[in-house]
Every structure is written in C-alpha cells, then in structure tokens.
Amino acid sequence: MINLDYDTLQAELRSWVDECRPYSREGETAGYIPALGRVPGDILGAAVCDLKDRVVEAGDTGHKFTLQSISKIFSLILALEDCGPEIVFGRVGMEPTGDPFNSIAKLEFTRPSRPLNPMINAGAIMICDLVGGGTAGEKFRRIRDFVRRLSSNPHIDVDPEVYESEKSTGHRNRALAYFLKDTAGLKGDVEEILDIYFKQCSLQVSCRDLAYMGAVLANEGRLPSSGEPMINPFYCQTALAFMVTCGFYNGSGQLAVEVGVPAKSGVSGGILSSAPGRMGIGIIGPGLDLKGNSLAGRMLLARIAGDLNLSIFA
Ligand code: GLN
C-alpha cells in the first residue's frame, strides 16, 4: 500500500492521529446547527483507502457524522452528468470567493448575479435546482443513491436529528435561496430546493465511507474494488479542481500550501480528501477553526499528506 506495507501504514496512521489529538480540543463545534453543537469536539479519526481497495483506520472511526458541505461535490457531479457543463456553469461560476461559505455579499455585486462557485452554500443551493428528477424527492434520492454507490454502502441515509435541526434554523440558507430566486434564475420552488439541500447535508457517513468516495475520485471516477466507471473522468477532474480552489472556502489557499491535496470540508468536522492516483482519505474532527473547517482534521491531513508525499504540487 502506497510506499508502505499495510501494517506499517496502520501503525503510522495511529501515531499521526495521536499526535494531532491535542488540536481537537482547540476548535469549536458548529453550534449554529444545534444538533452539531451537541457533538463532543475532541473526537478525531481517519480512514484511508488505496486504489486496490485496502482500507486502514485509526482513532474514533466508529463515530458517524453528517456529510454537510462534502455533499456539494456529489450533487455537482450529478448536475454535470444531467445538464452538462454549459448549463451548469451558466448558473454558477468557477472562481473562489475569499469569503466565508455562507456569505451573501458577492451575490449582490456579481453581474449577472450568480454564485461564484458550487462549493459555497449559494452555489450548492443553485446546483440542487439543476440535479435531474421529476420531484424534489426524486432529486434528493438520486443524490443519496449516488453517495451510496460511490461509498459501496447501501445503508447511508439522512440523520433525522441533524436534518430537523438544519431545517428549523437554516435562516441564512433560506435568505440565500430567496435572493437567488429573485436575482439569479433559481427555477424550482425555494422551500423544495432547500429541502434537497438540507437532506444532502444531513446524510450520515463514517470516515471509511469518505475514504471510499475519495478513492473513486482518485481513481478517475472508477470504483477501486471492481474498476467499474462511476463518474465521467472529466467531471471527476472538475470536482478535484473545485476541491483545490474552493474546498476549504477562504482557507483553500492555506490548504493548498500546507497540504497540497484536493479536499472538501463540512461543518460536521468531516474532511474528504483525494490524492489522484494514490488514495482517498476520510477524516472526522468536529472542532472547527474560524473558517468552519476541522481544525485537528486539517493538521492530521497535513501530517498524512506530508509523510506520504501526497501533495499534487510536489
Ligand atoms: N449545512 C451547512 C450549512 O448550510 C453546510 C455548510 C458547511 O458544511 N460548510 O450551513
């Protein structure tokens, strides 16, 4: 497995998690979603999956958490498969914002008005509008089933507590969606689109699920277990590019410098990372930094990427 044999990697991963564990007490959980605020902040765990489908885990990998913004990668890929890049990138841009993930500021100043990229909340809400399906329920089920197939886990489903918590407190997302309806051609019913978004964010996963999905992205869109193609290789490349430029929002530059591996964070403290041609990595560390990315998770990813020479810029 990746420069190291299985047992050595297992031992290394354990020691990297132990080394980074003190940072897990420094972050804050995402209290603006009350159900996420109740999760202990000092959890830390990681799983890696290589392209031969071998998995190594260490730390608190029994802890399940919700995908949150990590889901934005998969709804984007589905929208690209359903509508093609011309339509998708007519509705959302391709540029990093330098702003927090839930910012509304640039929506008013961009002409024509459209979210700057699909990884910020406004962009991801627009993408939910573009995912194919006759009803909102069908659109969501297609996203969920896609995540199930990529992770080879048919049991993935919505965490009802987190979903209710997001839906009842998601005032900022509601504001973004209504603004998009008014200015940026959001076509569907606003509350129905928001429901798809809240549900995709509330899909419950494990580090292992993230590592599997990261490995598919690292494998040009093919399942490592069977080689079966799951994603058009160009859309896979597109997703990886967005992970590098926008995956950690206004912390993406720092991640590129310090880690150098495509990665997407969520406010649950999850990180999905994908080292092309090498491996997928799934991390959980619910304590967040000021930009809403897992604080200890980022340190751990830097440690893994550094020691295994994963940086795409190296
Ligand atoms: N559900 C979260 C929100 O809309 C997702 C944000 C995130 O993970 N960064 O605020």
Side-chain angles (χ1 to χ4, degrees):
M1 186 162 191
I2 321 298
N3 305 334
L4 299 170
D5 65 60
Y6 187 90
D7 292 336
T8 315
L9 184 60
Q10 172 73 75
E12 293 281 35
L13 192 61
R14 238 180 247 139
S15 78
W16 297 329
V17 170
D18 289 345
E19 239 172 73
C20 294
R21 198 173 278 285
Y23 295 108
S24 67
R25 284 181 281 276
E26 286 181 21
E28 295 279 338
T29 54
Y32 78 97
I33 298 173
L36 297 185
R38 291 192 282 273
V39 174
D42 59 356
I43 286 166
L44 188 63
V48 306
C49 176
D50 75 1
L51 302 192
K52 296 199 172 103
D53 205 28
R54 287 174 295 192
V55 178
V56 167
E57 297 187 24
D60 306 317
T61 50
H63 175 76
K64 296 260 183 89
F65 52 93
T66 50
L67 271 181
Q68 297 300 331
S69 286
I70 299 168
S71 64
K72 294 168 180 173
I73 304 170
F74 305 109
S75 47
L76 168 67
I77 293 171
L78 269 188
L80 284 167
E81 305 254 8
D82 292 341
C83 306
E86 216 169 296
I87 290 184
V88 169
F89 295 122
R91 303 274 294 280
V92 296
M94 298 184 190
E95 302 307 332
T97 64
D99 295 328
F101 63 84
N102 56 2
S103 176
I104 201 163
K106 291 207 171 86
L107 277 185
E108 200 178 357
F109 298 112
T110 312
R111 285 285 177 270
S113 179
R114 57 172 195 179
L116 277 179
N117 71 67
M119 299 291 115
I120 51 172
N121 289 11
I125 291 168
M126 186 61 102
I127 291 292
C128 288
D129 200 26
L130 296 169
V131 169
T135 61
E138 195 187 332
K139 284 170 187 254
F140 165 68
R141 280 191 296 279
R142 291 190 62 244
I143 298 169
R144 182 199 60 192
D145 292 351
F146 189 44
V147 167
R148 285 179 174 178
R149 285 198 304 278
L150 294 179
S151 59
S152 305
N153 179 357
H155 304 294
I156 288 177
D157 223 326
V158 166
D159 175 336
E161 190 194 344
V162 174
Y163 165 65
E164 284 304 331
S165 192
E166 291 216 26
K167 201 175 162 78
S168 58
T169 59
H171 313 303
R172 173 80 70 116
N173 288 323
R174 262 191 193 90
L176 290 170
Y178 279 100
F179 196 89
L180 292 173
K181 183 78 179 173
D182 188 49
T183 63
L186 192 77
K187 292 203 170 63
D189 177 85
V190 174
E191 289 299 328
E192 285 184 8
I193 292 170
L194 282 166
D195 200 56
I196 302 169
Y197 176 73
F198 293 137
K199 281 189 177 140
Q200 73 171 45
C201 288
S202 304
L203 286 170
Q204 194 185 47
V205 294
S206 64
C207 287
R208 175 180 279 255
D209 295 326
L210 295 188
Y212 263 87
M213 295 193 277
V216 177
L217 294 172
N219 198 30
E220 295 174 348
R222 290 187 305 268
L223 280 186
S225 50
S226 59
E228 189 190 340
M230 304 297 287
I231 304 170
N232 172 324
F234 182 66
Y235 301 151
C236 189
Q237 198 181 309
T238 305
L240 291 169
F242 277 119
M243 288 161 74
V244 172
T245 56
C246 313
F248 270 47
Y249 317 107
N250 45 339
S252 301
Q254 184 187 8
L255 195 83
V257 171
E258 294 178 357
V259 179
V261 183
K264 182 76 204 81
S265 65
V267 284
S268 54
I271 298 175
L272 179 154
S273 182
S274 177
R278 308 285 298 275
M279 58 168 65
I281 304 168
I283 294 178
I284 180 64
L288 307 180
D289 63 18
L290 294 175
K291 293 173 177 170
N293 302 310
S294 172
L295 194 154
R298 180 165 51 78
M299 308 302 281
L300 180 55
L301 186 58
R303 196 79 176 85
I304 297 171
D307 280 47
L308 297 179
N309 286 316
L310 298 180
S311 173
I312 61 172
F313 305 111

